[in-house]
Amino acid sequence: IDETERLLERWRAAASEGRSVDLYPEMVAVTSRVIGRILFGADVARTVPQLTRFSVVNDELLRRAVSPHPVPRWLPTSHNRRLTYELTQVRRIVDEIIAERHSETVKRPVVDMLGLLLAARDAENASDRLSDTEVANQVLLFLIAGRETTAVTLACTLIQLALAPQWQATLREEIIDRLHGRAPSAEEVPQLDRTDRFLRESMRLFPAAYGMNRSPRDDEILGGYHIPAGSWLEVSIWGIHHSPAVWPEPEAFDPRRFDVP
């Protein structure tokens, strides 16, 4: 809520001057700050500028994913060197923050994800904890998986709102009726039914994770087809979401398709 209000202040200034805003970079910025606060709490100010490096990391990982024959990471190509450098820089920041948390003489309350990961202990063995490397891996995974996809989803959803004035009115009415001018709490968000359905339809039509892949360890039978162990299976989420066999009128944007019967 804090970060959204900060975003809206910028937009009000732009609106009063008749200026347009570039929606996607705005969503990347607000998503980066939200994720930074979730992960690092008070350390967000020093981490958010470093999150811009993940655009480079995501681009390089996507390039490798769609390449029919990606070269091994150990080969010193320009792309491999760039990916390695950017990952090293981001990891250095995370490692430094973890080390500083360990060195604090007065422990701060656990108010962020990093603190929870560092404080986590096995239920049956209190001395069993995640290593610092494991904690850093979890943080990096959260950053890679959650930042770009969330920003894409928000941008596409706002575009759909701009294209559907009647839904703007519907969602505004729901928010006024349910919240009466208050900012929503986490418990109240699920009560915004029409807003939830609008978001679901946006994610159906424009899935940020538009595909995924799997490789079976053993021979499998899938839909009557023999899948040998070690095969590379690509699942098109975009294709499923736009398939008339799954969705009636799949190219139409209609949040009502998620209405509860």
Side-chain angles (χ1 to χ4, degrees):
I1 290 170
D2 289 344
E3 295 302 333
T4 301
E5 289 178 345
R6 181 182 301 185
L7 173 75
L8 293 179
E9 282 300 315
R10 294 203 309 272
W11 283 10
R12 289 188 187 101
S16 65
E17 299 170 6
R19 292 186 287 108
S20 62
V21 295
D22 193 341
L23 190 59
Y24 178 64
E26 290 284 319
M27 292 301 97
V28 170
V30 72
T31 301
S32 296
R33 289 198 60 85
V34 170
I35 289 181
R37 290 180 65 164
I38 290 170
L39 285 173
F40 304 114
D43 294 310
V44 65
R46 64 181 289 193
T47 57
V48 165
Q50 298 297 327
L51 296 186
T52 57
R53 294 185 179 276
F54 272 90
S55 294
V56 177
V57 173
N58 281 332
D59 289 346
E60 290 298 329
L61 291 176
L62 177 60
R63 188 190 62 78
R64 289 184 62 83
V66 300
S67 173
H69 302 288
V71 298
R73 281 282 309 278
W74 53 265
L75 281 176
T77 65
S78 59
H79 287 288
N80 279 348
R81 291 200 306 270
R82 187 184 189 198
L83 177 59
T84 299
Y85 175 79
E86 296 296 340
L87 279 173
T88 300
Q89 295 305 305
V90 177
R91 181 151 200 139
R92 179 178 58 80
I93 296 295
V94 174
D95 289 343
E96 287 177 358
I97 294 175
I98 291 174
E100 289 175 9
R101 294 285 182 98
H102 284 313
S103 66
E104 290 174 354
T105 55
V106 178
K107 293 296 182 182
R108 291 181 288 174
V110 177
V111 293
D112 55 38
M113 185 175 172
L114 178 60
L116 291 171
L117 288 170
L118 290 172
R121 295 294 183 272
D122 183 79
E124 298 178 358
N125 181 6
S127 64
D128 188 7
R129 55 174 289 271
L130 294 172
S131 68
D132 288 354
T133 298
E134 290 173 321
V135 170
N137 287 342
Q138 292 299 317
V139 169
L140 291 171
L141 180 62
F142 195 84
L143 288 170
I144 292 174
R147 176 175 169 269
E148 197 87 6
T149 51
T150 305
V152 167
T153 297
L154 288 172
C156 289
T157 301
L158 290 175
I159 289 171
Q160 289 305 309
L161 274 174
L163 294 173
Q166 72 278 15
W167 275 101
Q168 285 192 46
T170 297
L171 267 56
R172 186 180 295 111
E173 178 183 331
E174 176 179 65
I175 290 169
I176 292 172
D177 289 346
R178 293 293 176 91
L179 301 178
H180 305 289
R182 303 188 316 275
S185 65
E187 293 74 22
E188 288 173 313
V189 169
Q191 299 174 18
L192 301 174
D193 298 324
R194 284 169 287 182
T195 303
D196 176 74
R197 291 166 196 168
F198 192 95
L199 180 61
R200 286 173 181 267
E201 178 68 345
S202 176
M203 294 174 70
R204 181 197 69 82
L205 202 58
F206 304 106
Y210 47 82
M212 63 180 182
N213 49 66
R214 293 292 185 269
S215 183
R217 289 179 294 183
D218 304 305
D219 286 5
E220 301 285 353
I221 301 296
L222 181 63
Y225 291 91
H226 174 238
I227 310 297
S231 299
W232 186 260
L233 303 180
E234 193 73 27
V235 181
S236 174
I237 303 301
W238 179 280
I240 294 171
H241 286 191
H242 288 251
S243 171
V246 181
W247 302 97
E249 298 184 57
E251 299 304 321
F253 186 89
D254 185 9
R256 292 172 300 179
R257 69 174 79 242
F258 289 100
D259 287 350
V260 178

